[in-house]
Amino acid sequence: AVTAEVGVTDGPKGVVVNTRNGKAYAAFPDLGIVKIVTGAAGPVVTLKTGANVKNLTLDPRSGRVYAMNRGPGTISVIDPDTDAIIDTLKADRGSLTALNPVTNKLYVSASTGTDPSVIDLETKSSTTIHAGTEGNALSVNVKANKIYFVGYEDNFLTVVDGVTNEP
């Protein structure tokens, strides 16, 4: 098997694979970059996104990749065809992201002690979710339109309704 070298100075902290175009995206937080590999041994594209890029989320419908940049509190939107940043979304104190591709909403966990938020990708408006936890880990149940948050060192799970944004 052939592998592609993606970096040796900073280990990737997030990776997604777009099965539509065969590209793999790896986040390198210390370098503030996403490396994009086409195929098993294809060229490697380096894309500067922002400081402390830790989390990548793939939209399976559009193929876009959302790169959470903790340093500047932004999300870089990467186009799957051009490998370029086509938009930058504001995400103050964001840490992780999860997408509901059916509702076109991107959920953003927050730093310790801060409520998570949801970004409507059509309008780019952001709404705070008063979940009672920052959402150190999160997941979306697309079929039920429920979002699950677990806080840092919390011993409980908060379930949020995707329609009302209420626990």
Side-chain angles (χ1 to χ4, degrees):
V2 179
T3 60
E5 173 98 22
V6 293
V8 293
T9 61
D10 177 31
K13 300 297 183 204
V15 65
V16 294
V17 176
N18 186 338
T19 57
R20 291 178 49 211
N21 62 14
K23 295 178 183 178
Y25 302 78
F28 291 80
D30 291 344
L31 301 174
I33 61 172
V34 170
K35 290 193 178 192
I36 305 166
V37 180
T38 303
V44 176
V45 173
T46 300
L47 187 60
K48 187 156 187 59
T49 58
N52 205 7
V53 57
K54 289 186 110 170
N55 178 253
L56 301 172
T57 299
L58 174 72
D59 182 337
R61 294 184 316 164
S62 69
R64 290 180 175 171
V65 174
Y66 297 90
M68 180 69 239
N69 308 305
R70 286 188 72 184
T74 62
I75 298 170
S76 299
V77 182
I78 303 170
D79 181 85
D81 299 320
T82 63
D83 295 335
I85 296 172
I86 57 170
D87 202 355
T88 302
L89 307 172
K90 191 75 176 135
D92 290 330
R93 298 178 309 277
S95 181
L96 301 171
T97 57
L99 176 73
N100 185 335
V102 174
T103 62
N104 209 23
K105 302 234 172 111
L106 186 66
Y107 295 89
V108 182
S109 72
S111 300
T112 304
T114 308
D115 285 321
S117 61
V118 56
I119 300 171
D120 183 320
L121 295 175
E122 290 296 319
T123 65
K124 299 181 187 170
S125 63
S126 179
T127 303
T128 299
I129 299 173
H130 301 288
T133 185
E134 66 274 357
N136 192 53
L138 72 154
S139 186
V140 175
N141 179 331
V142 174
K143 193 171 188 174
N145 196 14
K146 303 285 185 199
I147 304 84
Y148 302 87
F149 293 98
V150 177
Y152 181 71
E153 295 183 351
D154 286 346
N155 59 359
F156 59 89
L157 171 72
T158 301
V159 181
V160 173
D161 183 281
V163 175
T164 65
N165 292 326
E166 297 290 328

